[in-house]
């Protein structure tokens, strides 16, 4: 994951190149602040109503919202510091939450897909399989996977790098900090594996749900729309795993467009999905929307 799209050689910029970037900064900040406000409202709604806290579906949803808020806030901070250098140790503190949350999001979406599959395809066993306790265990496993995916990079950084580098100032980017060749290979291998697992989960569960919805012929049209929306959000979420590879691929064909490529992919992969999630998973759900409206009325 690359969270600092503006990092690079900026000395050759003209005023015609700089003005669009300032406009982009403003747009990204507006989207980011709006999304954070929506997410904060949803977190408050969930925490206020016990009926939501006792439902595995909403527990997974609010865990998604929490991770997206962490990821968005971390990315926005890194975006603000993109044109300046900061200490490596401070950069690591900014990078870790963003990396952990970005790994968590697609895994959480895969769990939400699985929960939806169980509720539609094996409804009689839903209450036995999907319990609050098991949902919390699954969330713990998600965090364990994400932590184990980044811990080796942290150990390699502090063991192999010169102490002067740790205390030096750099552009805060994952590739600039975790610059070991092993870290690059491990990152690509881990992301590829998780991408395959998440995509296979998506295709299997949603095709099963799709066929069950058609066979039942009850709200089939609505079910198909929900499946397509969830599938689109899942696609955006899993693109985070392919973000570094996508940048490398585009830079191969457009080596002079590094800044534009990083900026565009950052907005599409890191910002837009965070803005869509509240609408796809929160506002469309009747139960959650009902309690959300109550909170808005109280405000």
């Amino acid at each position: 994951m690359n969270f600092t799209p503006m990092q690079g050689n900026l000395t050759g910029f003209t005023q015609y190149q700089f003005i669009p970037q300032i406009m982009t900064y403003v747009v990204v900040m507006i989207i980011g602040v709006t999304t954070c406000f929506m997410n904060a409202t949803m977190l408050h709604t969930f925490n206020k109503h016990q009926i939501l806290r006792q439902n595995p579906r909403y527990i997974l949803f609010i865990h998604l919202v929490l991770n997206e808020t962490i990821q968005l806030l971390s990315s926005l901070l890194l975006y603000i510091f993109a044109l300046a250098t900061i200490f490596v140790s401070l950069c690591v503190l900014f990078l870790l939450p963003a990396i952990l949350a970005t790994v968590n999001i697609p895994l959480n979406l895969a769990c939400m897909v699985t929960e939806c599959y169980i509720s539609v395809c094996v409804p009689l066993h839903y209450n036995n399989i999907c319990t609050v306790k098991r949902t919390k265990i699954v969330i713990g496993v998600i965090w364990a996977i994400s932590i184990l995916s980044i811990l080796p990079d942290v150990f390699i950084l502090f063991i192999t790098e010169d102490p002067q580098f740790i205390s030096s100032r750099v552009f805060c980017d994952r590739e600039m900090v975790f610059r070991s060749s092993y870290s690059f290979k491990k990152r690509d291998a881990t992301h590829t594996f998780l991408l395959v697992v998440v995509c296979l989960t998506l295709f299997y569960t949603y095709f099963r749900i799709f066929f069950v919805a058609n066979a039942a012929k009850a709200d089939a049209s609505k079910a198909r729309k929900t499946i397509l929306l969830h599938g689109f959000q899942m696609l955006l979420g899993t693109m985070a795993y392919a973000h570094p590879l996508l940048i490398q691929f585009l830079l191969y064909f457009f080596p002079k467009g590094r800044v534009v490529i990083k900026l565009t992919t950052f907005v599409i992969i890191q910002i837009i999905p965070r803005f869509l999630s509240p609408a796809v998973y929160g506002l469309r759900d009747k139960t959650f929307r009902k309690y959300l409206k109550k909170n808005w009325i109280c405000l």
Side-chain angles (χ1 to χ4, degrees):
M1 282 71 68
N2 295 292
F3 301 100
T4 53
M6 308 299 292
Q7 184 270 325
N9 184 9
L10 305 179
T11 56
F13 274 19
T14 67
Q15 60 177 340
Y16 301 105
Q17 294 171 306
F18 187 72
I19 292 175
Q21 289 189 14
I22 295 299
M23 294 175 62
T24 305
Y25 260 92
V26 173
V27 172
V28 167
M29 290 303 164
I30 291 174
I31 295 176
V33 171
T34 303
T35 305
C36 286
F37 176 76
M38 294 172 62
N39 288 352
T41 305
M42 291 186 176
L43 287 166
H44 175 69
T45 301
F46 173 82
N47 188 59
K48 190 175 180 180
H49 300 283
Q50 186 176 2
I51 189 173
L52 299 177
R53 298 198 303 269
Q54 297 300 317
N55 190 314
R57 177 170 298 178
Y58 297 121
I59 293 174
L60 287 173
F61 165 66
I62 214 65
H63 183 247
L64 174 70
V65 172
L66 178 63
N67 275 279
E68 293 199 329
T69 305
I70 293 172
Q71 194 273 343
L72 184 59
L73 289 174
S74 301
S75 297
L76 288 176
L77 279 175
L78 292 168
Y79 195 77
I80 292 171
F81 292 125
L83 295 177
T85 58
I86 63 175
F87 291 108
V88 171
S89 55
L90 183 60
C91 178
V92 171
L93 293 178
F94 285 154
L95 282 174
L96 287 180
I99 294 172
L100 291 173
T102 304
V103 174
N104 285 346
I105 288 169
L107 294 176
N108 196 95
L109 284 167
C111 293
M112 294 176 70
V113 170
T114 305
E115 185 274 337
C116 185
Y117 161 77
I118 295 171
S119 67
V120 173
C121 298
V122 285
L124 297 179
H125 300 283
Y126 179 84
N127 291 331
N128 294 328
I129 298 174
C130 298
T131 64
V132 173
K133 182 179 179 180
R134 288 181 177 177
T135 304
K136 292 179 179 179
I137 292 174
V138 167
I139 290 174
V141 171
I142 291 174
W143 278 97
I145 292 173
S146 61
I147 291 172
L148 289 174
S149 71
I150 189 60
L151 268 184
D153 295 332
V154 177
F155 289 142
I156 291 172
L157 171 65
F158 287 100
I159 292 174
T160 63
E161 292 289 355
D162 192 304
Q164 292 182 346
F165 174 74
I166 304 298
S167 59
S168 65
R169 299 173 69 95
V170 296
F171 287 106
C172 193
D173 183 80
R174 182 172 182 173
E175 294 179 357
M176 297 291 293
V177 176
F178 303 113
R179 54 186 187 173
S180 166
S181 59
Y182 170 79
S183 295
F184 290 155
K185 293 177 182 178
K186 182 197 67 64
R187 180 198 64 185
D188 292 341
T190 302
H191 288 177
T192 302
F193 174 75
L194 292 175
L195 180 64
V196 171
V197 171
V198 171
C199 286
L200 287 177
T201 303
L202 168 68
F203 287 124
Y204 174 78
T205 55
Y206 276 121
F207 274 116
R208 290 294 303 272
I209 293 172
F210 187 83
F211 291 134
V212 169
N214 276 340
K217 295 183 180 179
D219 295 326
S221 177
K222 182 179 179 180
R224 282 194 292 268
K225 290 179 181 178
T226 302
I227 290 168
L228 290 175
L229 282 172
H230 287 356
F232 176 67
Q233 175 65 11
M234 188 80 167
L235 175 64
L236 292 176
T238 54
M239 283 176 66
Y241 290 150
H243 193 184
L245 296 176
L246 178 62
I247 289 178
Q248 293 175 18
F249 176 78
L250 293 174
L251 285 176
Y252 178 80
F253 292 99
F254 308 101
K256 296 182 179 181
R258 182 179 183 83
V259 173
V260 175
I261 290 172
K262 282 199 165 189
L263 174 63
T264 304
T265 55
F266 173 80
V267 173
I268 294 175
I269 295 176
Q270 303 293 347
I271 299 298
I272 292 179
R274 310 291 86 81
F275 183 74
L276 292 177
S277 285
V280 172
Y281 288 100
L283 301 180
R284 293 188 74 253
D285 185 273
K286 291 182 179 180
T287 303
F288 200 91
R289 188 170 66 242
K290 179 180 70 174
Y291 291 105
L292 193 62
K293 285 181 177 179
K294 289 183 180 180
N295 280 354
W296 278 106
I297 292 173
C298 293
L299 292 175

